Short mmCIF file of all heavy atoms in Angstrom, two decimals:
data_model
loop_
_atom_site.label_atom_id
_atom_site.label_comp_id
_atom_site.label_asym_id
_atom_site.label_seq_id
_atom_site.Cartn_x
_atom_site.Cartn_y
_atom_site.Cartn_z
N ILE A 64 -16.89 -17.85 -25.33
CA ILE A 64 -16.17 -18.79 -24.46
C ILE A 64 -16.33 -20.18 -25.03
O ILE A 64 -17.45 -20.63 -25.30
CB ILE A 64 -16.73 -18.73 -23.03
CG1 ILE A 64 -16.57 -17.30 -22.49
CG2 ILE A 64 -16.01 -19.73 -22.13
CD1 ILE A 64 -17.23 -17.08 -21.14
N ALA A 65 -15.23 -20.88 -25.22
CA ALA A 65 -15.27 -22.23 -25.77
C ALA A 65 -16.05 -23.14 -24.82
O ALA A 65 -16.11 -22.91 -23.62
CB ALA A 65 -13.85 -22.75 -25.95
N GLU A 66 -16.59 -24.20 -25.41
CA GLU A 66 -17.44 -25.09 -24.61
C GLU A 66 -16.66 -25.73 -23.46
O GLU A 66 -17.21 -25.92 -22.36
CB GLU A 66 -18.01 -26.20 -25.52
CG GLU A 66 -19.19 -26.93 -24.93
CD GLU A 66 -19.90 -27.79 -25.96
OE1 GLU A 66 -19.87 -27.45 -27.17
OE2 GLU A 66 -20.48 -28.81 -25.56
N ASP A 67 -15.39 -26.06 -23.70
CA ASP A 67 -14.57 -26.64 -22.62
C ASP A 67 -13.92 -25.57 -21.74
O ASP A 67 -13.19 -25.88 -20.80
CB ASP A 67 -13.49 -27.57 -23.20
CG ASP A 67 -12.48 -26.85 -24.07
OD1 ASP A 67 -12.57 -25.60 -24.18
OD2 ASP A 67 -11.63 -27.49 -24.67
N ARG A 68 -14.16 -24.32 -22.04
CA ARG A 68 -13.67 -23.14 -21.30
C ARG A 68 -12.14 -23.01 -21.31
O ARG A 68 -11.60 -22.21 -20.57
CB ARG A 68 -14.18 -23.13 -19.86
CG ARG A 68 -15.66 -23.15 -19.74
CD ARG A 68 -16.24 -22.46 -18.53
NE ARG A 68 -15.45 -22.64 -17.32
CZ ARG A 68 -15.01 -21.65 -16.56
NH1 ARG A 68 -15.29 -20.39 -16.87
NH2 ARG A 68 -14.33 -21.90 -15.47
N LYS A 69 -11.46 -23.75 -22.13
CA LYS A 69 -10.00 -23.65 -22.15
C LYS A 69 -9.52 -22.49 -23.02
O LYS A 69 -8.31 -22.22 -23.10
CB LYS A 69 -9.40 -24.96 -22.64
CG LYS A 69 -9.61 -26.12 -21.67
CD LYS A 69 -8.96 -27.39 -22.18
CE LYS A 69 -9.28 -28.59 -21.29
NZ LYS A 69 -8.64 -28.52 -19.99
N SER A 70 -10.42 -21.83 -23.68
CA SER A 70 -10.05 -20.65 -24.46
C SER A 70 -11.25 -19.72 -24.57
O SER A 70 -12.40 -20.14 -24.36
CB SER A 70 -9.56 -21.03 -25.86
OG SER A 70 -10.62 -21.60 -26.61
N SER A 71 -10.96 -18.47 -24.89
CA SER A 71 -12.03 -17.50 -25.09
C SER A 71 -11.56 -16.48 -26.14
O SER A 71 -10.35 -16.39 -26.43
CB SER A 71 -12.42 -16.79 -23.80
OG SER A 71 -11.32 -16.10 -23.24
N THR A 72 -12.51 -15.75 -26.70
CA THR A 72 -12.19 -14.75 -27.71
C THR A 72 -12.96 -13.48 -27.43
O THR A 72 -14.19 -13.52 -27.24
CB THR A 72 -12.57 -15.26 -29.12
OG1 THR A 72 -11.90 -16.48 -29.38
CG2 THR A 72 -12.19 -14.23 -30.18
N LEU A 73 -12.24 -12.38 -27.37
CA LEU A 73 -12.88 -11.07 -27.26
C LEU A 73 -13.13 -10.56 -28.68
O LEU A 73 -12.22 -10.54 -29.50
CB LEU A 73 -11.98 -10.09 -26.51
CG LEU A 73 -12.57 -8.69 -26.32
CD1 LEU A 73 -13.72 -8.73 -25.32
CD2 LEU A 73 -11.50 -7.71 -25.87
N ILE A 74 -14.34 -10.15 -28.94
CA ILE A 74 -14.71 -9.71 -30.27
C ILE A 74 -15.10 -8.23 -30.25
O ILE A 74 -16.01 -7.84 -29.52
CB ILE A 74 -15.89 -10.55 -30.83
CG1 ILE A 74 -15.52 -12.02 -30.83
CG2 ILE A 74 -16.26 -10.08 -32.25
CD1 ILE A 74 -16.69 -12.95 -31.03
N LEU A 75 -14.36 -7.45 -31.03
CA LEU A 75 -14.75 -6.06 -31.27
C LEU A 75 -15.41 -6.06 -32.64
O LEU A 75 -14.77 -6.41 -33.64
CB LEU A 75 -13.52 -5.14 -31.26
CG LEU A 75 -12.61 -5.23 -30.04
CD1 LEU A 75 -11.42 -4.27 -30.19
CD2 LEU A 75 -13.39 -4.91 -28.77
N HIS A 76 -16.66 -5.67 -32.71
CA HIS A 76 -17.42 -5.87 -33.94
C HIS A 76 -17.00 -4.95 -35.08
O HIS A 76 -17.01 -5.34 -36.23
CB HIS A 76 -18.91 -5.74 -33.65
CG HIS A 76 -19.39 -6.81 -32.71
ND1 HIS A 76 -19.58 -8.11 -33.14
CD2 HIS A 76 -19.67 -6.79 -31.39
CE1 HIS A 76 -19.99 -8.84 -32.11
NE2 HIS A 76 -20.04 -8.06 -31.04
N ARG A 77 -16.61 -3.73 -34.74
CA ARG A 77 -16.10 -2.79 -35.74
C ARG A 77 -15.00 -1.99 -35.10
O ARG A 77 -15.25 -1.08 -34.32
CB ARG A 77 -17.20 -1.86 -36.24
CG ARG A 77 -18.17 -2.49 -37.21
CD ARG A 77 -19.16 -1.45 -37.71
NE ARG A 77 -18.50 -0.48 -38.61
CZ ARG A 77 -18.95 0.75 -38.81
NH1 ARG A 77 -20.02 1.19 -38.19
NH2 ARG A 77 -18.33 1.56 -39.65
N ALA A 78 -13.77 -2.32 -35.40
CA ALA A 78 -12.63 -1.65 -34.77
C ALA A 78 -12.57 -0.20 -35.21
O ALA A 78 -12.75 0.13 -36.38
CB ALA A 78 -11.34 -2.36 -35.14
N THR A 79 -12.29 0.65 -34.25
CA THR A 79 -12.03 2.06 -34.55
C THR A 79 -10.61 2.38 -34.10
O THR A 79 -9.99 1.60 -33.37
CB THR A 79 -13.01 2.99 -33.83
OG1 THR A 79 -12.73 2.93 -32.41
CG2 THR A 79 -14.45 2.58 -34.06
N LEU A 80 -10.10 3.51 -34.53
CA LEU A 80 -8.75 3.90 -34.14
C LEU A 80 -8.64 4.01 -32.61
O LEU A 80 -7.58 3.77 -32.03
CB LEU A 80 -8.37 5.24 -34.80
CG LEU A 80 -8.30 5.22 -36.33
CD1 LEU A 80 -7.95 6.60 -36.85
CD2 LEU A 80 -7.30 4.18 -36.81
N ARG A 81 -9.75 4.35 -31.98
CA ARG A 81 -9.75 4.49 -30.53
C ARG A 81 -9.62 3.15 -29.80
O ARG A 81 -9.37 3.10 -28.62
CB ARG A 81 -11.04 5.20 -30.08
CG ARG A 81 -10.94 5.74 -28.67
CD ARG A 81 -12.30 6.16 -28.13
NE ARG A 81 -12.24 6.46 -26.72
CZ ARG A 81 -12.28 5.56 -25.75
NH1 ARG A 81 -12.41 4.29 -26.05
NH2 ARG A 81 -12.21 5.91 -24.50
N ASP A 82 -9.84 2.05 -30.54
CA ASP A 82 -9.71 0.73 -29.92
C ASP A 82 -8.26 0.24 -29.85
O ASP A 82 -7.99 -0.83 -29.29
CB ASP A 82 -10.54 -0.30 -30.70
CG ASP A 82 -12.03 -0.08 -30.55
OD1 ASP A 82 -12.47 0.29 -29.43
OD2 ASP A 82 -12.76 -0.24 -31.55
#
Side-chain angles (χ1 to χ4, degrees):
Chain A
I64 301 173
E66 196 167 332
D67 64 4
R68 302 210 322 127
K69 293 181 186 291
S70 66
S71 60
T72 303
L73 181 70
I74 303 166
L75 307 179
H76 296 285
R77 283 184 71 205
T79 69
L80 296 179
R81 197 192 170 279
D82 291 321

